[in-house]
Amino acid sequence: MATLSDIAVSAAINCFSALLFLFAFAILRLQPVNDRMSKCILKFLNWMPAALRMPEPELIQHAGLDSAVYIRIYLLGLKIFCPITLLSFAVLVPVNYSGENFEEMKTNMKDLTYSDIDKLSISNVAPGSSRLYAHIVMAYVFTIWTCYALYNEYMIVAKMRLHFLANERRRPDQFTVLVRNVPPDVDESVSEHVEHFFCVNHPDHYLSHQVVYDANTLAYMVLEKKSLQNWLTYYTNKFERNPNKRPTTKTGLWGLWGKHVDAIDFYTEQIETLSKQEEAEREKVLNDPNSIMPAAFVSFRSRWGAAVCAQTDQSHNPTVWLTQWAPEPRDVYWDNLAIPYVELKVRRLLMAVALFGLTFCFMVPIAFVQTLANLEGIQKAVPFLRPLIEIGSVKSIIQGYLPGIILKIFLILLPTIIMTMSKIEGFTALSTLETHSAEKYHLFLLVNVFLGSIITGTALQQLKEFMQQSPTEIPKTVGVSIPMKATFFITYVMVDGWSGVAAEILRLVPLIVFHLKNAFLVKTEKDREEAMDAGSLTWAVSEPRIQLYFLLGLVYSTVTPILLPFIVVFFAFAYLVFRHQIINVYDQKYESGATFWPDVHRQIIIGLMISQFLFLGLLNTKRATNATYFLIPLPILTFWFFRFSKGRFESQFKRFPLEDAMKKDTLERATEPNLNLKLYLQDAYVHPVFKGSVEFERPRVVDEEENSPLVATKRSIHREGKQGFREISSSSEDIMGISAV
Amino acid sequence: MATLSDIAVSAAINCFSALLFLFAFAILRLQPVNDRMSKCILKFLNWMPAALRMPEPELIQHAGLDSAVYIRIYLLGLKIFCPITLLSFAVLVPVNYSGENFEEMKTNMKDLTYSDIDKLSISNVAPGSSRLYAHIVMAYVFTIWTCYALYNEYMIVAKMRLHFLANERRRPDQFTVLVRNVPPDVDESVSEHVEHFFCVNHPDHYLSHQVVYDANTLAYMVLEKKSLQNWLTYYTNKFERNPNKRPTTKTGLWGLWGKHVDAIDFYTEQIETLSKQEEAEREKVLNDPNSIMPAAFVSFRSRWGAAVCAQTDQSHNPTVWLTQWAPEPRDVYWDNLAIPYVELKVRRLLMAVALFGLTFCFMVPIAFVQTLANLEGIQKAVPFLRPLIEIGSVKSIIQGYLPGIILKIFLILLPTIIMTMSKIEGFTALSTLETHSAEKYHLFLLVNVFLGSIITGTALQQLKEFMQQSPTEIPKTVGVSIPMKATFFITYVMVDGWSGVAAEILRLVPLIVFHLKNAFLVKTEKDREEAMDAGSLTWAVSEPRIQLYFLLGLVYSTVTPILLPFIVVFFAFAYLVFRHQIINVYDQKYESGATFWPDVHRQIIIGLMISQFLFLGLLNTKRATNATYFLIPLPILTFWFFRFSKGRFESQFKRFPLEDAMKKDTLERATEPNLNLKLYLQDAYVHPVFKGSVEFERPRVVDEEENSPLVATKRSIHREGKQGFREISSSSEDIMGISAV
């Protein structure tokens, strides 16, 4: 348990380290090799006003709705926690401070350390004291305020989404529906079957369709060819720089062994062979009916027709002809388009069991690997390292750090593992993959970071304990240790939250990765550009982490208000930084139109309800049983609020109402009566591998956002790989001389 | 605890009482007053073969799909439990009988009675014995078999429904969508607003609409007028029979007090006054824009158009323009059509809390009333009864029976209370009201009959105990008392199940009610006809009771197999009786097309999972911890099966796929190109009160089903009040000379 001064020191250290980062970066920036990387944050001292100055509509136009709504999560945090902080400091801190349980506790619990912070927390209120009613009233006030803020925010985001969808330019996914599980037909090919089915059942609306090819092998070949070409460029450059000596390579894996050959000849030959194979594979995929998957992108004459098809059941067998809105073309996850219904259900079951295992037993495999990775194990596996290991210092390093490093490696790998699980579950869009991964990661953090920090021991042990306790005991067990962990979480907020955000503005991790890549992997200019990819918001990792701060703030709002300012600072700092990053650094991979908001809303309410149950448990241990009854309606009302807001808003994020579809259709028909929609949609949903390269062919159009006078962005160098279809649509509209509505 | 011979005696008594009922009925039938009532079951000795002989397609045509599927629930019970019974008797009974824990138990537990039945149950297997593996294997076999039977049945019912919908004649609800929460508009009336909205958003499909009037006052007036007319008829008849004396009545309530007047003049005058008031009210409702509710029945040109509108979101505000399939006209619950969104949500919350209270605290108000209704209370409230009460025998009757009678009265009132709760929740169709009431009643039976019988004490006490136990303790507590309650439940199956079914075939309750009404209430021939209403399936009460037998069978299948034959006999007997009742007695109030099947399926799976958890708990107390681990996958797999079958079938029961809608439309367009749909739909959804009387005007058409050669039915006298729109549609088809497809 830290005292107040300890925490002040810790805060000072954290601020100092943040400054150190800035200083280090200023030096690094001077080296020419960092030059381009550093351009992103050239004016790192005057970015704050710039980041705040851009108005929201422009931000949406500039960075997309997803990003604009993402930073609203931080704003929501501020909206919720600023008034709560003020109120707790005005009401609860005085009540707690004058509680005078302190001296008593000090003498009673000699073994437990007891600090100044506890004087400001609920621990300082004597059990059974009528002061606890202040906390109960505050619990109600905080819940009502949180719900009000959540409701308000849901409404704002829903309006933003609506406005965004209404103003959105024409995009292929507005007219297209993804049809999966096309039933096999003995007489017709998949393509014919799809055409006939939709001609019959949507006669006035069906326009065209695009079958989905099983092009995984082909995509792999294309990737391999690209890599070979890169090597060829590397050796050609080498030869040009040093024309006297033709470079050589070895034929084996990664050029490490095998016989010596002339590198340029070798790679030229290899590329030729692969090109022929690729051509053959391409022919095969396009002509073999077996390589057509039982799925298709079906396009309609109007948004209305597509909206109808996406929202209705097509067949009386609900496992075939499954329709859903097509994801944006760049959002499609091609590998998962053809999973049969039963297999999908089995996959979901397996992944649910796996998620349970991952969350509650994740220490088991790690402990196992750690046992294997001890000294004896290593000596047995690689006997030639024995002399090295026997050196004293090496030995102690392995023994001291190896277990920790293995855990750290696992935690770094965790998002990838979770994403792989979501991929196995069979979702068909990248955005869906991300939201489902975020959900899993949220559960993991909740169990292993939040509960794991409060109750020592692994999650599995906790689960065992909980199973043997009564349902009313669990909140008590957890609740009673909550005030004691306040200082730990204050430190956590500073180390993980503040420093994490500081590292983000300095892009520390990408910088290190870039330098590592530059040193070991970069061979050609193209490689360097790829290594410099600015990255994008990693939703599946960032969002669950924010949720942890919401949870901490809500749990401690009634218990230890001193934690709240740290949360507020985190949200304020993060808001500024991410607003800046979104404007100046990140590339957007896809645009889902803020479909993730219901998840954010739900997870905050889960946090709110957890805080209520824990507070209930805590009060129970305070011998305030009568007071506790007043709290019972709180979770019930919160749950009702959840159901209410879900009914009120959620469908706006999942479905596209016919009224709006009709409005857009009518407007478009009036402004562009001669639009050739079929031509426009022709190649929208062709597998990227058939577009000549793995990446999409994109016409280079100067983007009007670049000329935004308010914030001078340095994104143009990253822009080449961005934009995608928005430009196609804008260029086609430009051709017709019509501005977007 | 009863011995085997006790149970044999009990079974004999039950059979005897059933015979007694039959005998009593034969005598009653001889009296002329029972004559018409008894026609229903004239050939009560040879009905069984007749009931079995009617093939299912004909049964569906004759009694509707709802009824035909209802008796399939009993058939499903037979399908599940016949093989389970055989297997348990072949495997588990020998294993248990040779278990030889009997003598030991007998000496150990002197205080607990121990019977022969326990020798055949799992109690006879020693704790930790490897014989328990036989029970575990059987638990798997029974679960797999039950799931297989459930899946099969779901598939069959889905096919039946599909076939039924495909062959269904034209009905107004196929073309109509119920639109609720029409937003207010300053410039337009509700009717104009609806018309404009659907003309704009469904331009090719919108046909017409019918606004909903708030006609509750008017409906009340019509009812009152009907009652007055009935009195007038009564006195006119009286006068005709005895022309010398003009009958008189009193002006006060129910003719009990007030001044004497000439009855015929009085009622004629009263009717005239009311007729004028009614006319004025009718005028007012039709002309006052405030009496139009913000809801409408919107009809479309095709089933496809209606299917689209019912399944899609109309507005970006998901609380207005809510669309759903219109219920059948006779299925509409008119009072609930105009509840605003927020109010609806608040009502649901209140009713959820009320349901919780009803289920867990239902003993509290009863105990309260019982305390009030003691002797002192009665003496205080009605002092003039004191001399009567002070007679010894009356005193003992009141003291002995009153508490029991109050409980019984409450249990009789329970279905009405539950139905009222569902009405407050705001469902818009009678069928939905019934299914939701059934769900609530199911919960009540589960907690208060099943758990309440196993664990003594009120549900509230149970809940308190459970809250203080760990989640793993609850199944143990319940599980361990399960074998001890076997004899009780065997008696319950006989008394409640067998005798209940016997009483049903004799229509004992309706007979008593009829005689009571006949004695006290019936005044005219019309009254008598109404009192003789054959009734219909009371889904909300019957279905949850069947579920109780499924639960008992599943729970005892592995524990005390001796209970299973009693369950099988119940299902077989009930199947025969209800098949007969459906063919010959019941009137059908509405036809939902078996939309309730997903509920039946879900509730059986709930029973299955409860049985698994209880078996797990029981095994835990048998010191077979290792064996228990084998059982953990069982509920997980069962739950997965539930999710799987839900995804596979449920949407067939909730939505109408476009493919089938299109098929019917196309066929109809080919066979009846000149159909005037607008005319056909014109009056379909007019509030019944505007049709001249509370009941619908129905053209009397001879129904072809009456001439069915296989089963001679006696329903024609009940038929007048039935049929409704099926006949309208059939008659209009007859006019056009086209047979139904």
Side-chain angles (χ1 to χ4, degrees), chain B residues 40-258:
Chain B
C40 314
I41 44 164
L42 193 67
K43 306 164 209 160
F44 72 84
L45 284 175
N46 57 0
W47 55 264
M48 278 210 190
L52 282 176
R53 224 181 287 135
M54 187 185 257
E56 197 160 48
E58 203 181 329
L59 183 70
I60 295 171
Q61 217 187 10
H62 174 76
L65 186 66
D66 281 349
S67 310
V69 170
Y70 175 77
I71 53 170
R72 281 197 78 95
I73 304 177
Y74 296 107
L75 199 62
L76 176 64
L78 286 176
K79 276 186 197 163
I80 289 177
F81 288 113
C82 283
I84 288 184
T85 309
L86 289 178
L87 256 179
S88 324
F89 273 81
V91 178
L92 292 184
V93 169
V95 167
N96 290 339
Y97 191 76
S98 57
E100 291 167 350
N101 196 32
F102 185 53
E103 292 305 318
E104 196 188 324
M105 290 282 274
K106 225 174 182 173
T107 47
N108 284 351
M109 307 165 78
K110 277 255 165 80
D111 50 337
L112 279 171
T113 47
Y114 206 81
S115 74
D116 295 343
I117 285 189
D118 289 311
K119 248 187 136 165
L120 303 176
S121 92
I122 202 171
S123 313
N124 203 30
V125 178
S129 159
S130 60
R131 278 163 195 273
L132 291 173
Y133 282 100
H135 296 83
I136 292 172
V137 170
M138 280 298 122
Y140 268 93
V141 171
F142 294 164
T143 297
I144 291 167
W145 172 252
T146 308
C147 289
Y148 170 75
L150 279 171
Y151 184 83
N152 224 16
E153 194 66 21
Y154 216 149
M155 198 153 66
I156 291 170
V157 174
K159 261 190 201 145
M160 279 167 72
R161 175 177 159 84
L162 200 74
H163 192 250
F164 178 78
L165 293 180
N167 288 326
E168 215 174 22
R169 300 213 184 120
R170 181 164 56 248
R171 285 194 341 195
D173 51 303
Q174 292 164 350
F175 297 91
T176 309
V177 163
L178 169 58
V179 180
R180 286 182 303 153
N181 299 34
V182 176
D185 192 292
V186 280
D187 300 325
E188 293 180 313
S189 71
V190 171
S191 180
E192 287 165 346
H193 199 184
V194 168
E195 183 162 359
H196 289 170
F197 185 86
F198 285 95
C199 274
V200 166
N201 292 309
H202 296 266
D204 307 327
H205 308 287
Y206 170 76
L207 180 70
S208 65
H209 73 276
Q210 175 69 52
V211 291
V212 177
Y213 295 98
D214 181 7
N216 291 344
T217 324
L218 187 60
Y220 174 74
M221 283 177 171
V222 168
L223 258 180
E224 211 185 317
K225 193 173 148 193
K226 210 182 134 203
S227 152
L228 289 174
Q229 251 153 353
N230 202 25
W231 278 109
L232 183 62
T233 318
Y234 170 70
Y235 284 113
T236 318
N237 289 350
K238 210 174 170 185
F239 182 60
E240 273 167 13
R241 274 198 299 274
N242 186 5
N244 304 324
K245 189 182 162 224
R246 280 194 67 91
T248 57
T249 187
K250 292 176 187 169
T251 54
L253 187 74
W254 291 342
L256 288 179
W257 47 74

Side-chain angles (χ1 to χ4, degrees), chain B residues 220 247 265 351 499-500 515 522 564:
Chain B
Y220 174 74
D265 291 351
M351 284 306 112
S499 309
H515 277 283
V522 166
L564 289 172

